[in-house]
């Protein structure tokens, strides 16, 4: 078959990822799609997969992807007449420690929200299902009837056959020798078939080359941080194991097993993994390494303890092959820095289960501009420039692999490849006993352990300096020991009483927060306003010095970013977004025609918030500090030039203070020296999260995502009623559906501006984000907990925590329209159903007097 000279899309890689992407592109109507594979189909990374399919995953999107994949298999069988290799035998997940039981109960709660129909069994019940097991130490087991396993080669061939039936052309034995790029866009690929060479023009190219994806990416000058790691499993001789045996995961012993040919396949995650250190991965087909049984000994012994029959059984096959891991153990999906060049790689052992979902997401993303699901956690752009470093990627990937089955406690921090990015004030934070967390390579203060007890300053400084009057530093309303104050369960594992002290100091005096890590993007030029107006839902045509809180929406009206826009001059704007979102948000803006400069590292940012903030800054600046809320002004703080922005994320009066990075340490020291006599404390991100919950401030990726609209999220106030913007048509269509007698409608982007009421139906959206207050304040939600309304599953918690200023355990969840303050729900916290009341929000300072007005 002769290669064409052009194609609409070229997919590189004939494993399950590439075949699924090609199939789904064709299913969405794309013709002239070709798939190229260096060897035969599946002979790279796919063929040696153990094939486990566990539908319940740690994220909502992964679970949806795997559930979609399970529904795809019958469709493939009907379309192609081929068996996709699905064995729906169900799955057991064992818990042998109290901590693992807690994890299982949390997973069971999440499973309810997906409708997975799982059960929590005793050890004895698990043995009834699988008599081979020794369950003397098993405290509980999750039974997931929708789990099973796949034959990887059969699945890939069924996907390939389905793609071919829909018009995809597949070329095996075809090497990629180059990827052509012009003007920052992909223009084609160079291929070799035997001794012949071709150039295929294409403006869409998808790299799905498994462990070789990093090498292929480098042909185009892009970095795809895939790290090939050696992974090993064995297959025993047959001993009459029934084919109906469920899959088993035993994470406390870091092993998994299932039936294979009448015997058992046993695999495990060793604590000392090895990288496949080669510059040319998958050069040969069906690459395997020599068996390393000493390395596998711990896994084998663990499996033999769980299944004693293994001790009397011989091993007939060892499969020791490369798996494509990533720095955080999640997939690498999405568009690279080269426009039109996409990646679907880094399947990290568990990718086969989600292969169908990967194809769906990638095809929707390429064809429609955004996928149905929220995929930020898998988006290639979640990493910053440091991901180019192979040493960084390797250190993180090895850590991720070695802890693959470990319990991941919320708030727990891993230490590999740290520290990397540090604020100018980092040295001072360390001196103050900071407990650091890491996000996007940045070291950020979670809390200062030096704040764990009442500070001497808070006790001694009862008189403000300079005759400013009495310092009203309130003591906590309840006096209780750390043990009594510590939240129950997982929420109390990574916790400190310092968090409470930092919240109360911010309420009563002031808190100083280092937000240098927040991403800062600048857009300038004579068309900057016009283009930003198109992509931002808020009205930006305001005078210089204005700050606008807004969202970037996709065509479906879903929230792609949540940020503030400061108009620095007529033709210059600065956007501030979350630490981890800068690369993603900049790429989204560039994809819509804006020229974006990432200036994150150019500016330090410290936030001074609290009722004494004006007094503190007043001792350091001769400038007028009384400018209004959501305004920005250039001032001097001591000797430091600063851009002061009257904006808050904690619900207290104050500013974000930006200065060039070289002044950062000086500005921190200046603010600390001036603020300490007023009772100000340095504070961290855990205090910020507590206080933002009390004010109902949303967090992108949790409370709001590309799957939620501003109206659903209670952010309709941030949507402009007097201009057109990306996503407006979708919001109008949703409003028409919500109106009595309404129906679905479609409108183009050139539709005339609609009256204000066109953006929201008479009855509002079908669901809304609601604030819940739990009856038991020590039961604290961490996100993902199931919510029942009227005894029936209704939702899951998007985010939660404890509000120290209001003394309440707070959670947020999307609930059906018509749910009102005062209504009762139940929240499942680690297997315990806790009553909760829907509350009017915000819980703290509902009139926002503390934010908008100058302190008394």
């Amino acid at each position: 078959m002769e290669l064409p000279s052009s194609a609409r899309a070229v997919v590189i890689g004939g494993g399950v990822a590439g075949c699924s992407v090609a199939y789904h592109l064709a299913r969405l109507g794309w013709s002239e799609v070709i798939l190229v594979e260096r060897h035969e189909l599946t002979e790279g990374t796919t063929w040696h997969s153990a094939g486990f399919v566990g539908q319940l995953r740690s994220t909502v999107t992964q679970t949806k992807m795997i559930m979609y994949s399970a529904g795809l298999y019958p469709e493939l069988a009907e379309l192609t007449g081929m068996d996709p290799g699905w064995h729906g035998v169900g799955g057991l997940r064992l818990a042998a420690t109290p901590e693992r039981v807690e994890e299982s109960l949390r997973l069971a709660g999440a499973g309810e929200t997906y409708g997975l129909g799982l059960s929590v069994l005793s050890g004895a019940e698990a043995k009834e299902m699988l008599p081979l097991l020794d369950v003397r130490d098993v405290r509980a087991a999750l039974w997931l009837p929708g789990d099973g396993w796949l034959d990887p080669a059969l699945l890939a061939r069924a996907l390939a056959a389905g793609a071919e039936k829909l018009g995809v052309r597949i070329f095996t034995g075809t090497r990629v020798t180059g990827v052509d790029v012009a003007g920052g866009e992909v223009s084609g690929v160079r291929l070799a078939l035997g001794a012949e060479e071709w150039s295929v023009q294409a403006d869409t190219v998808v790299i799905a080359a498994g462990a070789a994806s990093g090498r292929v990416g480098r042909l185009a000058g892009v970095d795809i941080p895939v790290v090939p790691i050696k992974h090993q499993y064995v297959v025993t001789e047959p001993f009459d194991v029934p084919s109906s045996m469920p899959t088993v995961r035993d994470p406390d012993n870091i092993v998994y097993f299932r039936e294979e040919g009448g015997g058992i396949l046993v695999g495990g995650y060793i604590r000392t993994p090895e990288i496949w250190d080669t510059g040319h991965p998958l050069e040969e087909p069906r690459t395997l390494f020599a068996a390393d049984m000493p390395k596998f000994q711990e896994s084998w012994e663990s499996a033999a303890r769980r299944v004693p029959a293994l001790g009397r059984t011989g091993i007939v096959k060892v499969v020791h092959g490369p798996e494509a891991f990533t720095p955080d153990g999640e997939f690498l999906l999405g568009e690279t820095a080269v426009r039109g060049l996409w990646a679907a790689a880094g399947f990290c052992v568990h990718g086969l289960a989600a292969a169908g979902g990967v194809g769906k997401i990638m095809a929707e993303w390429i064809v429609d501009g955004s996928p149905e699901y929220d995929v930020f956690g898998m988006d290639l752009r979640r990493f910053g420039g440091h991901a180019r470093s192979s040493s960084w990627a390797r250190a993180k990937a090895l850590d991720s692999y070695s802890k693959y089955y470990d319990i991941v406690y919320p708030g727990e921090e891993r230490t590999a490849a740290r520290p990397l990015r540090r604020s100018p004030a980092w040295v001072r934070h360390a001196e103050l006993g900071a407990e650091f967390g890491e996000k996007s390579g940045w070291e950020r203060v979670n809390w200062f352990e030096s704040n764990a007890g009442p500070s001497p300053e808070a006790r001694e400084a009862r008189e403000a300096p300079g005759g400013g009057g009495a310092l009203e530093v309130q003591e906590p309303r309840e006096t209780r020991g750390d043990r009594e104050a510590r939240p129950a369960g997982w929420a109390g594992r990574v916790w400190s009483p310092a968090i409470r002290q930092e919240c109360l100091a911010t309420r009563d005096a002031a808190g100083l927060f280092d937000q240098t890590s927040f991403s800062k993007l600048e857009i300038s030029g004579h068309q900057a306003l016009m283009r930003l107006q198109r992509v931002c839902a808020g009205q930006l045509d305001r005078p210089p010095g204005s700050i606008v809180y807004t969202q970037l929406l996709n065509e479906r009206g879903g929230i792609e970013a949540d940020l503030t826009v400061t108009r620095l001059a007529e033709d210059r704007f600065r956007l501030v977004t979350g630490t981890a979102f800068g690369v993603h948000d900049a790429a989204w803006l560039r994809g819509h025609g804006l020229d974006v400069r990432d200036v994150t590292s150019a500016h330090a940012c410290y936030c001074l918030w609290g009722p004494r903030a004006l007094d503190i800054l007043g001792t350091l600046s001769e400038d007028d500090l009384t400018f209004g809320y959501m305004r920005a002004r250039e001032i001097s703080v001591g000797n430091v030039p600063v851009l002061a922005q009257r904006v808050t994320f904690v619900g207290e009066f104050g500013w974000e203070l930006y200065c060039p990075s070289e002044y950062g340490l000086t500005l921190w020291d200046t603010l600390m020296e001036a603020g300490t006599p007023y009772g100000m404390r340095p504070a961290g991100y855990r205090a910020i999260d507590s206080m933002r919950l009390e004010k109902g401030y949303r967090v992108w990726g949790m409370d709001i995502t590309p799957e939620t609209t501003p109206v659903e999220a209670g952010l309709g106030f941030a949507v402009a009623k007097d201009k057109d913007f990306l996503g407006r048509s979708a919001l109008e269509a949703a409003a028409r559906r919500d109106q009595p007698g309404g129906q679905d409608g479609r409108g183009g982007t050139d539709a005339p501006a609609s009256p204000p009421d066109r953006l929201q139906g008479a009855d509002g959206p079908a669901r809304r984000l609601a604030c819940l207050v739990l009856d038991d304040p020590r039961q604290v939600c961490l996100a993902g907990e199931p919510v029942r309304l009227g005894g029936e599953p209704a939702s899951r918690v998007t985010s939660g925590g404890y509000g120290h200023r209001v003394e309440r355990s707070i959670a947020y969840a999307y609930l059906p329209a018509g749910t009102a303050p005062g209504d009762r729900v139940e929240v499942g916290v680690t297997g315990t159903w806790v009553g909760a009341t829907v509350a009017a929000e915000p819980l703290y300072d509902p009139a926002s007097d503390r934010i908008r007005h100058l302190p008394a």
Side-chain angles (χ1 to χ4, degrees):
M1 186 186 299
E2 185 173 331
L3 280 162
S5 60
S6 65
R8 189 169 188 183
V10 177
V11 180
I12 300 170
V16 288
C19 291
S20 184
V21 171
Y23 170 76
H24 283 86
L25 282 172
R27 200 170 77 160
L28 288 184
W30 273 33
S31 57
E32 299 181 28
V33 175
I34 69 170
L35 182 149
V36 296
E37 164 56 46
R38 182 185 184 109
H39 308 298
E40 294 300 316
L41 294 180
T42 81
E43 290 191 343
T45 314
T46 292
W47 72 277
H48 59 74
S49 169
F52 277 66
V53 176
Q55 292 189 76
L56 183 58
R57 309 300 301 184
S58 60
T59 69
V60 174
T61 297
Q62 267 200 20
T63 302
K64 288 180 179 178
M65 289 167 65
I66 296 173
M67 293 174 70
Y68 168 83
S69 299
L72 178 65
Y73 308 140
E75 176 185 313
L76 284 173
E78 183 177 346
L79 176 65
T80 66
M82 298 178 65
D83 176 14
W86 170 241
H87 300 261
V89 293
L92 287 168
R93 194 175 192 278
L94 308 181
T97 64
E99 294 79 11
R100 192 69 67 174
V101 172
E102 286 185 325
E103 181 195 46
S104 299
L105 292 173
R106 286 184 58 81
L107 287 170
E112 175 178 305
T113 71
Y114 307 126
L116 284 179
L118 56 79
S119 304
V120 181
L121 309 179
S122 66
E125 289 171 322
K127 186 172 180 65
E128 286 180 15
M129 300 191 74
L130 185 57
L132 286 169
L133 295 177
D134 182 339
V135 297
R136 284 175 293 179
D137 64 337
V138 174
R139 296 167 178 261
L142 288 182
W143 165 243
L144 295 104
D147 284 6
W149 60 278
L150 284 160
D151 182 303
L154 290 180
L155 174 61
R157 289 176 185 137
L159 286 163
E164 287 182 307
K165 278 190 173 290
L166 296 175
V168 175
R169 300 172 69 186
I170 296 177
F171 299 89
T172 56
T174 305
R175 292 182 296 116
V176 177
T177 60
V179 179
D180 295 325
V181 178
E185 298 183 15
V186 71
S187 58
V189 296
R190 281 168 277 142
L191 304 169
L193 182 58
E196 297 184 76
E197 295 188 358
W198 272 271
S199 289
V200 178
Q201 294 181 343
D203 56 14
T204 298
V205 176
V206 182
I207 299 173
S213 294
R215 181 189 65 79
V216 177
R218 285 190 290 275
L219 296 176
V222 301
D223 297 286
I224 303 173
V226 167
V227 179
I229 293 181
K230 298 178 180 180
H231 184 74
Q232 199 166 198
Y233 67 80
V234 303
V235 178
T236 72
E237 62 189 8
F239 60 104
D240 298 323
V241 177
S243 60
S244 60
M245 169 188 165
T247 64
V248 180
R249 290 176 174 80
D250 189 359
D252 289 313
N253 291 296
I254 59 175
V255 292
Y256 58 84
F257 43 93
R258 64 167 175 83
E259 183 270 342
E260 172 83 0
I264 291 183
L265 178 154
V266 177
Y269 297 90
I270 62 175
R271 295 296 188 186
T272 55
E274 292 183 27
I275 290 171
W276 183 25
D277 200 358
T278 176
H280 301 282
L282 306 184
E283 191 88 1
E284 301 298 325
R286 292 180 169 259
T287 298
L288 287 179
F289 313 116
D292 190 346
M293 296 313 293
K295 278 237 182 221
F296 196 70
Q297 190 65 28
E298 181 183 357
S299 299
W300 177 254
E301 290 175 354
S302 293
R305 285 195 301 273
R306 185 62 67 211
V307 181
L310 290 176
R312 306 183 295 273
T313 307
I315 295 171
V316 296
K317 181 167 70 172
V318 178
V319 178
H320 193 193
E323 292 286 354
F325 256 74
T326 67
D328 59 1
E330 280 290 0
F331 305 155
L332 296 172
L333 308 179
E335 195 172 23
T336 70
V338 172
R339 289 190 298 277
L341 182 63
W342 299 75
F347 273 26
C348 305
V349 179
H350 58 271
L352 189 78
V358 166
K360 166 187 162 65
I361 281 171
M362 291 295 297
E364 291 172 348
W365 213 338
I366 292 166
V367 174
D368 300 329
S370 60
E372 178 185 356
Y373 305 150
D374 170 24
V375 294
F376 176 75
M378 308 172 191
D379 194 327
L380 179 66
R381 298 167 296 186
R382 66 188 181 272
F383 299 119
H386 53 277
R388 297 189 188 99
S389 164
S390 61
S391 61
W392 178 86
R394 288 179 175 206
K396 298 291 278 188
L398 286 170
D399 182 66
S400 178
Y401 179 100
S402 68
K403 297 173 181 175
Y404 189 77
Y405 266 169
D406 285 5
I407 297 172
V408 180
Y409 293 108
E412 190 174 58
E413 301 288 348
R414 293 186 173 177
T415 59
R418 292 176 58 190
L420 183 61
R421 306 173 76 181
R422 289 181 267 189
S423 158
W426 179 87
V427 63
R428 297 291 189 261
H429 303 337
E431 291 168 357
L432 289 167
E435 287 290 331
F436 288 104
E438 180 269 338
K439 180 164 283 190
S440 196
W442 281 97
E443 294 294 313
R444 311 196 315 170
V445 178
N446 283 334
W447 66 79
F448 290 93
E449 196 58 35
S450 56
N451 286 329
S455 70
E457 293 83 6
R459 292 193 299 266
E460 296 171 5
R462 296 301 177 184
E463 295 295 322
L471 177 64
E472 296 180 2
V473 180
Q474 301 176 20
E475 294 298 327
R477 283 190 285 272
E478 294 181 66
T479 301
R480 38 186 188 174
D482 290 353
R483 182 176 298 178
E484 293 173 325
R486 183 181 296 272
W490 279 22
R493 294 189 68 94
V494 184
W495 178 89
S496 170
I499 301 165
R500 175 181 178 80
Q501 297 301 329
E502 291 170 8
C503 292
L504 299 182
T506 305
R507 179 195 69 188
D508 300 332
L512 182 61
F513 302 82
D514 188 341
Q515 288 195 169
T516 298
S517 68
F518 266 42
S519 297
K520 311 164 196 80
L521 311 173
E522 288 201 0
I523 296 171
S524 59
H526 72 280
Q527 291 188 320
L529 174 62
M530 178 188 72
R531 292 181 173 178
L532 275 172
Q533 283 280 71
R534 171 62 183 150
V535 297
C536 292
Q539 177 56 261
L540 305 184
D541 193 4
R542 301 177 186 275
S546 298
I547 305 169
V548 176
Y549 169 60
T550 187
Q551 289 79 40
L552 310 182
L553 307 184
N554 55 39
E555 291 282 5
R556 298 187 309 277
I559 301 171
E560 290 287 344
D562 182 70
L563 39 76
T564 59
V565 180
T566 302
R567 192 170 192 177
L568 300 174
E570 288 289 340
D571 60 351
R572 182 170 165 237
F573 297 82
R574 182 180 295 169
L575 286 63
V576 178
T577 185
T579 299
F581 309 144
V583 177
H584 168 276
D585 294 0
W588 178 266
L589 292 162
R590 291 183 184 120
H592 289 84
L594 289 106
D595 184 13
V596 182
R597 281 197 316 134
D598 188 330
V599 297
T600 300
S601 299
H603 304 278
C605 174
Y606 307 129
C607 300
L608 177 62
W609 290 319
R612 303 313 297 264
L614 184 60
D615 294 330
I616 295 167
L617 205 60
T619 67
L620 300 171
S621 179
E622 296 179 357
D623 294 293
D624 180 8
L625 303 176
T626 62
F627 56 92
Y629 181 56
M630 300 301 281
R631 297 286 298 171
R633 183 170 294 181
E634 297 280 357
I635 66 172
S636 294
V637 178
N639 299 326
V640 178
V642 165
L643 174 68
Q645 299 198 160
R646 265 284 305 279
V647 66
T648 179
F649 199 55
V650 301
E652 300 289 354
F653 175 91
W655 306 268
E656 293 176 349
L657 304 171
Y658 296 86
C659 70
S661 289
E662 66 268 26
Y663 295 99
L665 183 57
T666 300
L667 180 58
W668 178 269
D669 288 345
T670 300
L671 291 167
M672 281 295 295
E673 183 178 357
T676 299
Y678 287 88
M680 183 195 80
R681 294 199 192 196
Y685 278 85
R686 293 289 289 276
I688 290 176
D689 195 52
S690 169
M691 290 186 281
R692 71 94 188 167
L693 282 166
E694 296 171 310
K695 284 296 295 180
Y697 296 151
R698 282 46 168 153
V699 169
W700 190 81
M702 300 179 71
D703 307 306
I704 51 178
T705 73
E707 298 181 43
T708 59
T709 71
V711 180
E712 292 173 325
L715 299 176
F717 67 88
V719 177
K721 309 299 192 296
D722 56 353
K723 70 164 192 172
D724 191 21
F725 54 85
L726 184 67
R728 182 185 179 97
S729 296
L731 296 184
E732 291 178 343
R736 288 193 292 272
R737 287 194 301 271
D738 293 328
Q739 288 174 344
Q743 57 183 5
D744 187 17
R746 289 177 169 79
T749 57
D750 57 349
S754 302
D757 59 358
R758 289 280 302 277
L759 290 176
Q760 182 169 314
D763 296 327
R767 62 172 186 166
R768 278 191 182 276
L769 189 62
C771 177
L772 311 178
V773 174
L774 278 64
D775 295 346
D776 183 350
R778 291 197 64 222
Q779 296 291 341
V780 175
C781 294
L782 297 165
E785 292 85 354
V787 179
R788 289 177 179 174
L789 180 62
E792 296 296 326
S795 186
R796 68 178 64 88
V797 170
T798 60
S799 65
Y802 188 81
H804 295 281
R805 293 177 299 186
V806 299
E807 299 287 8
R808 298 288 185 272
S809 176
I810 307 165
Y812 276 83
Y814 284 90
L815 294 176
T819 308
D823 288 350
R824 297 285 292 170
V825 299
E826 291 180 299
V827 182
V829 185
T830 318
T832 300
W833 288 100
V834 181
T837 301
V838 178
E841 58 171 331
L843 296 173
Y844 181 73
D845 187 25
S848 292
D849 292 330
R850 297 173 72 93
I851 297 171
R852 298 181 179 276
H853 303 146
L854 296 177

